[in-house]
Amino acid sequence: MNDSRFQSDEWKIIETRFEPERGRDSESIFALGNGMMGQRANFEETYSGDSLQGTYVAGVYYPDKTVVGWWKNGYPEYFAKVPNALSWTGIEVKIDGETLDLARCEVKEFRRELDMREGLLTRTFTAVMPSGRRVNVTARRFLSMSDPECAAISYSVAITGGSGQLQFTPWLNGDVYNEDANYGEKFWENEMAECEGARAVVVAQTRKTGFVVATAMENNLTVNGWAATVTPVLKAGKMTAHCTYTCEYSQGDIFELRKYVAVLSSMNHPAENIGHQAMRAAGEAAQTGFEAMLQSHREAWSARWEHGDIVIKGDIEAQQGIRFNIFQLNQTYTGEDPRLNIGPKGFTGEKYGGSTYWDTEAFAFPFYLSTADTHVARNLLLYRYKHLEKAIENAGKLGFTGGAALYPMVTMNGEECHNEWEITFEEIHRNGAIAYAIYNYVRHTGDHDYLAGYGLEVLIAISRFWAQRCNWSDEKKKYVILGVTGPNEYENNVNNNWYTNMLARWTLRYTASSLESLRTTSPVKYNGIVTRTRLSPEKEISNWNEIVQNIYLPAHHDLGIFLQQDGFMDKVQQTAADLDPAERPLNQHWSWDRILRSVFIKQADVLQGIYLFEDEFDEETIRRNFDFYESRCVHESSLSPSIHAVIAASLHDTDRAYTLYLRTARLDLDDYNREVKDGLHITSMAGTWLSIVEGFGGMRIRNDRVCFNPVMPVAWKSYSFIIRFRNNPMRVEVNGSEINVVNLSQSEIPLAVYGESVTLKAGEEMKFGKK
């Protein structure tokens, strides 16, 4: 039985209670986006209760000056923030001069419903106002996936009893702020606010970065399905615009205001005339009409679900969870613009500033790689390629030379903008995640031209960084990497983090082998890369190979495990089961000093490396490490459960894999980490997809062949998913007795199920017995 606040439903998230104390949570859960912009689920009508107003425009950021107590050389000057942009959802409603405000009303009925199949948010409520007037409201909202610069709201009002005056004032407000502003300053300056006919626009510009965003609206009002005869009064202020309709109401009248909004950014339009362009776009949306816009929007969502859905039979909570995750991923990033990336909170909150982290390559990248056209994943790689020179500059600030690159831990434009020392300068494993994404892309797509055209330049620069970051230890007679933080951020400034050292070794080896392969197959392209990167093959590649052969990888031979880092066994060895549940999560109850001295692990670290490089280890080695480290992991990073679920499934520990899957699938819906009010965990949602496709489905790419080794959770009757291999989609269905694979493409697909290699012809369907 689902004890969530939300009803169990395969395609919808449904809230049936008005709970002001959980308002921010719901604003995150019901947030909408379309890749170009996003909106928290703030109420349309006036609301004086607690709320986090959130409107976000893709690619627009503000360089909020860094706050630190003690400045260190190399600190970034700023922390990039996605500014809360102009608020466009507002519709003030007054009944006989009294403002409709749910914080001041008695709410009799309340229902909010997110239809994930259609991308439509619907809210209905009945409220008794302080004067005793009873009002029924139905509000529908969507951010168009087919026209991503436009959105629309339908707001319907019926008043029970009597007659009087009803006033609607849809508005635009550019006088907004960020709660996470370091110095409490506002990030926007007014450019223009004006009205023209039935339309209004507010244009604002970010301070310092100079992004210009124009938000325009056109509205229309109907009474009982007929166009209202009242003439609206439009007014523009300094950073606001209003459109007021004043009507007379009687018992039984239904008023519907339709608000059409266009949001244009100087990322995509010349700034000079952007306000009038936005007004034209809003006018065109109004001419198209709400229902026609909604139908195009539905069709766009239908196309995404057709090739990206995961179907689970027999477990509604699991089904709801994965669809919620897929829905949020698709409305956060569409892959059409290589200048954009994926913030950990997407368009759902201010936390993490909306910037790019290593989460993209390590967790989100495989989802887009396998569910969308090849160009989507390619654009994610091009985002990093276009930032290569900045990554080289970042490394140079820390003393690295010769074209070595350190990609930032947090960025908007390629510059490092994170200001926690332990993460900014020590968590260097992000370089390896970017290198691995290039490898992942090539083996999935077969696009070897990307390596020659772009990828090898990035790999060489990252390899140069690793070669300089290693140093020879006379005591160990090995190359070591000192002073790092691994994925487990409950350990800082450690030596020889196993995962980091493994990534460094793998990157150097992969770069060298890729260069050798290109030298053999295409000398002209090879020479071009050598020239562009000023590579000294004999000297540099020889050095890389020396490090690969002699890098130190800590291990505990008696236990048969890899050591997370030097000294890990000096800690008091406890397991998460020993903890008092009242002290969880640790980061909300323990001092940082106590956490750092404890054995407890925030998220997969050694196991993150085993996940990436599992083909290098036998099953018993994986099992020993999994049992040891999973028992010490408190999963206080949203990124953690999915990796553990994948490994548990590969070990046929389906019960544990299922428990971990539910934790990642319903992380936000059930608010496991008690922080959904700040926004959703978008990048970890991709881990939910990994849990099913790579976990239960056992999907791997080996030797230019897509392989499956499925297992079935006890709670499920069947499950199915669609993935692309070499841009060819296929559907995999797993039930109690067999696996059914259908080639949905016009090309043959090399396939292996439980080790049985076959070639699946175009349109062919094959069945395999379960093992």
Side-chain angles (χ1 to χ4, degrees), residues 382-397 400 402-408 411 413-416 454 457-458 461-462 464 531-534:
L382 286 173
Y383 176 88
R384 295 295 193 178
Y385 175 78
K386 292 176 182 295
H387 288 172
L388 178 57
E389 289 305 314
K390 287 288 187 182
I392 291 171
E393 288 180 20
N394 291 335
K397 292 174 184 177
F400 295 88
L406 175 59
Y407 277 90
T411 193
N413 64 357
E415 291 180 307
E416 177 64 74
Y454 307 96
E457 291 183 46
V458 174
I462 291 174
R464 284 168 165 166
T531 299
R532 288 198 303 274
T533 62
R534 299 181 180 178

Side-chain angles (χ1 to χ4, degrees), residues 466-479:
W466 287 127
Q468 293 179 43
R469 191 60 170 79
C470 294
N471 66 272
W472 178 257
S473 166
D474 286 332
E475 180 178 329
K476 288 182 169 61
K477 306 302 181 188
K478 293 282 186 180
Y479 286 96

Side-chain angles (χ1 to χ4, degrees), residues 499-557:
Y499 173 70
T500 303
N501 288 19
M502 277 289 291
L503 269 180
R505 184 181 75 165
W506 176 86
T507 303
L508 293 168
R509 185 169 58 200
Y510 178 60
T511 306
S513 65
S514 297
L515 282 166
E516 177 58 24
S517 176
L518 186 64
R519 188 185 68 83
T520 303
T521 58
S522 182
V524 172
K525 291 181 179 178
Y526 172 81
N527 288 332
I529 288 173
V530 169
T531 299
R532 288 198 303 274
T533 62
R534 299 181 180 178
L535 181 70
S536 301
E538 289 188 12
K539 180 180 177 182
E540 290 190 80
I541 296 176
S542 175
N543 183 37
W544 298 348
N545 288 332
E546 169 70 13
I547 295 170
V548 167
Q549 295 299 318
N550 293 286
I551 198 165
Y552 173 62
L553 297 169
H556 193 293
H557 299 291

Side-chain angles (χ1 to χ4, degrees), residues 128-411:
V128 179
M129 300 175 70
S131 63
R133 295 175 185 82
R134 190 180 185 97
V135 59
N136 301 300
V137 172
T138 298
R140 295 186 295 160
R141 177 195 303 179
F142 65 93
L143 275 63
S144 177
M145 288 289 282
S146 55
D147 186 0
E149 291 181 325
C150 290
I153 296 171
S154 164
Y155 195 87
S156 176
V157 174
I159 303 164
T160 303
S163 61
Q165 187 182 82
L166 174 63
Q167 190 175 85
F168 291 97
T169 304
W171 49 261
L172 306 173
N173 180 16
D175 189 18
V176 294
Y177 65 95
N178 274 50
E179 286 193 358
D180 69 346
N182 286 343
Y183 293 90
E185 62 182 331
K186 293 184 177 181
F187 297 163
W188 295 95
E189 293 177 330
N190 178 57
E191 286 287 301
M192 176 183 81
E194 68 176 48
C195 304
E196 184 180 285
R199 302 168 190 168
V201 67
V202 176
V203 182
Q205 177 174 295
T206 57
R207 296 172 177 170
K208 299 181 183 179
T209 44
F211 291 103
V212 179
V213 174
T215 305
M217 68 175 176
E218 181 166 327
N219 308 279
N220 60 54
L221 181 67
T222 62
V223 185
N224 302 322
W226 298 90
T229 57
V230 298
T231 301
V233 177
L234 280 77
K235 182 179 180 181
K238 184 178 180 182
M239 294 189 75
T240 60
H242 302 78
C243 173
T244 300
Y245 296 84
T246 303
C247 316
E248 300 302 316
Y249 72 86
S250 299
Q251 171 71 25
D253 286 341
I254 298 175
F255 295 80
E256 183 185 6
L257 179 78
R258 291 186 169 181
K259 183 175 185 178
Y260 302 92
V261 175
V263 180
L264 274 59
S265 160
S266 58
M267 288 273 294
N268 304 299
H269 299 274
E272 304 84 66
N273 198 36
I274 196 169
H276 292 98
Q277 282 184 284
M279 282 198 282
R280 279 197 300 272
E284 290 168 2
Q287 188 173 13
T288 300
F290 187 91
E291 296 301 337
M293 282 182 67
L294 178 57
Q295 183 57 31
S296 296
H297 171 71
R298 285 175 175 141
E299 290 169 2
W301 265 115
S302 178
R304 289 186 178 273
W305 284 117
E306 182 180 357
H307 289 292
D309 191 18
I310 290 179
V311 180
I312 299 171
K313 297 296 184 183
D315 190 341
I316 292 180
E317 292 178 38
Q319 178 68 87
Q320 184 183 44
I322 185 59
R323 282 193 172 132
F324 181 67
N325 285 245
I326 292 171
F327 174 77
Q328 295 293 348
L329 285 162
N330 277 319
Q331 66 173 6
T332 298
Y333 181 78
T334 60
E336 301 307 318
D337 189 339
R339 297 171 300 173
L340 303 179
N341 209 277
I342 306 154
K345 296 294 183 185
F347 295 122
T348 69
E350 297 175 8
K351 193 173 181 181
Y352 301 121
S355 302
T356 303
Y357 285 64
W358 72 290
D359 305 21
T360 291
E361 285 77 19
F363 293 88
F365 186 77
F367 168 80
Y368 297 102
L369 181 60
S370 292
T371 64
D373 186 82
T374 298
H375 79 276
V376 173
R378 202 173 199 266
N379 278 343
L380 283 173
L381 295 183
L382 286 173
Y383 176 88
R384 295 295 193 178
Y385 175 78
K386 292 176 182 295
H387 288 172
L388 178 57
E389 289 305 314
K390 287 288 187 182
I392 291 171
E393 288 180 20
N394 291 335
K397 292 174 184 177
L398 303 182
F400 295 88
T401 60
L406 175 59
Y407 277 90
M409 186 66 188
V410 177
T411 193

Side-chain angles (χ1 to χ4, degrees), residues 20-55:
E21 70 279 5
R22 303 293 296 275
R24 291 191 181 214
D25 299 0
S26 294
E27 288 172 350
S28 298
I29 294 291
F30 292 97
L32 295 176
N34 61 12
M36 190 81 77
M37 58 179 170
Q39 175 65 50
R40 284 173 63 84
N42 309 115
F43 295 161
E44 285 86 4
E45 68 278 354
T46 300
Y47 185 63
S48 59
D50 182 53
S51 174
L52 175 62
Q53 171 63 44
T55 304

Side-chain angles (χ1 to χ4, degrees), residues 626 630 635 641-642 644-645 648 656-665:
F626 180 76
E630 199 281 330
H635 298 296
S642 60
H644 289 77
R656 190 152 42 166
Y658 176 72
T659 299
L660 289 160
Y661 162 77
L662 278 185
R663 183 177 177 91
T664 184

